[in-house]
Amino acid sequence: MSGSILYCGDTDLNGAASYLAGMLTTWNFNFQYIPSNQRISIADLEKPRSLLILSDYPAANFAPECQEAALKLIQQGCGLLMIGGWESYHGFGGDWNGTPLAAALPVEIAAQDDRMNFDQSAWLVPATEHPAISGLPWLTRPPAIGGMNHVTPKPDSKVVLEAHTFKATYAGTSNSADSSNSGWSFTPNQKYPALVTGQYGKGRTASFLSDVAPHWVGGFVDWGLPRVTGQAAQSQGIEVGHDYASFWKQLLTWTGQLGT
């Protein structure tokens, strides 16, 4: 299927949506944007679509009949990507559990608040090989995130990235950290699915459980040099890390089967 990207959520183009919209503009991807407080219409789903992106976009603004129309698009080959946030998955006002579109996602969504915050960050680590994450320095320079939604992968899905948490402590004898770092210890703690992929009909599906924009995205937004800049129409300019931008381009290209 060939067509434009329908990108919904992340508040508006003067806020968090400026990040992904700015990158989409830099890559010359054709997209339509709908802010978080605007409802999706049937007309929005009658146009040719390659990819539907829901990021911090509440289920309340996606009527059941529109979700059924979106499911038909996905079955025919349109990709579906949900990105984490307070109004994604269950979250705090997302409420996607039990909805028609939840059936197409590669994860099970909880019936209660699923938000998690990491005061010592979590590192994104590959769980398997996948085109969405290939060629990036996950193991030599793993990026850190500050929060995510907690979900359960469906049996037929693939966990591509995990978020590994660590307990960092300093066991030195002074009140300040030794410049040699010899007193630091990092103890592995829990790990959680961070990127899960699947299939629904002919459409590819993906769930990224952290955010695309601050604050949950943490240091991930600055991952890699050189810096990448972008600015969507009617939006503020953004500046992000090269590897961060490469990851999103690869994930969107795979999920939407763009260029194929």
Side-chain angles (χ1 to χ4, degrees), residues 43-217:
D44 294 321
L45 301 166
E46 291 175 340
K47 303 172 184 177
R49 300 292 185 189
S50 294
L51 178 61
L52 170 61
I53 302 174
L54 302 172
S55 183
D56 256 333
Y57 188 80
N61 283 345
F62 208 140
E65 61 269 22
C66 291
Q67 291 190 45
E68 294 291 349
L71 282 176
K72 292 180 181 178
L73 285 177
I74 299 164
Q75 288 174 326
Q76 295 166 4
C78 174
L80 172 64
L81 168 63
M82 181 173 285
I83 302 171
W86 282 34
E87 291 185 314
S88 297
Y89 304 101
H90 188 283
F92 184 70
D95 301 325
W96 283 98
N97 53 296
T99 64
L101 268 178
L105 288 171
V107 298
E108 297 287 354
I109 303 173
Q112 63 278 338
D113 193 346
D114 55 14
R115 296 171 298 160
M116 297 189 298
N117 296 287
F118 305 123
D119 64 339
Q120 291 190 321
S121 297
W123 295 346
L124 295 178
V125 178
T128 188
E129 294 183 356
H130 194 277
I133 64 170
S134 65
L136 296 171
W138 301 101
L139 296 180
T140 58
R141 196 161 38 82
I145 59 172
M148 63 189 299
N149 299 90
H150 186 202
V151 299
T152 302
K154 291 180 178 177
D156 57 348
S157 68
K158 176 183 287 188
V159 178
V160 177
L161 286 175
E162 294 175 332
H164 287 213
T165 62
F166 293 81
K167 181 181 179 182
T169 56
Y170 182 71
T173 57
S174 66
N175 292 326
S176 59
D178 189 326
S179 60
S180 69
N181 292 327
S182 60
W184 284 103
S185 67
F186 294 86
T187 305
N189 198 353
Q190 293 179 290
K191 57 184 180 182
Y192 305 94
L195 173 62
V196 185
T197 61
Q199 190 87 19
Y200 187 80
K202 296 181 180 179
R204 294 174 177 174
T205 62
S207 290
F208 184 73
L209 281 309
S210 190
D211 213 333
V212 67
H215 72 286
W216 268 3
V217 75

Side-chain angles (χ1 to χ4, degrees), residues 31-43:
F31 72 98
Q32 176 189 346
Y33 174 71
I34 297 178
S36 295
N37 63 357
Q38 181 177 319
R39 295 177 66 85
I40 291 176
S41 69
I42 288 291

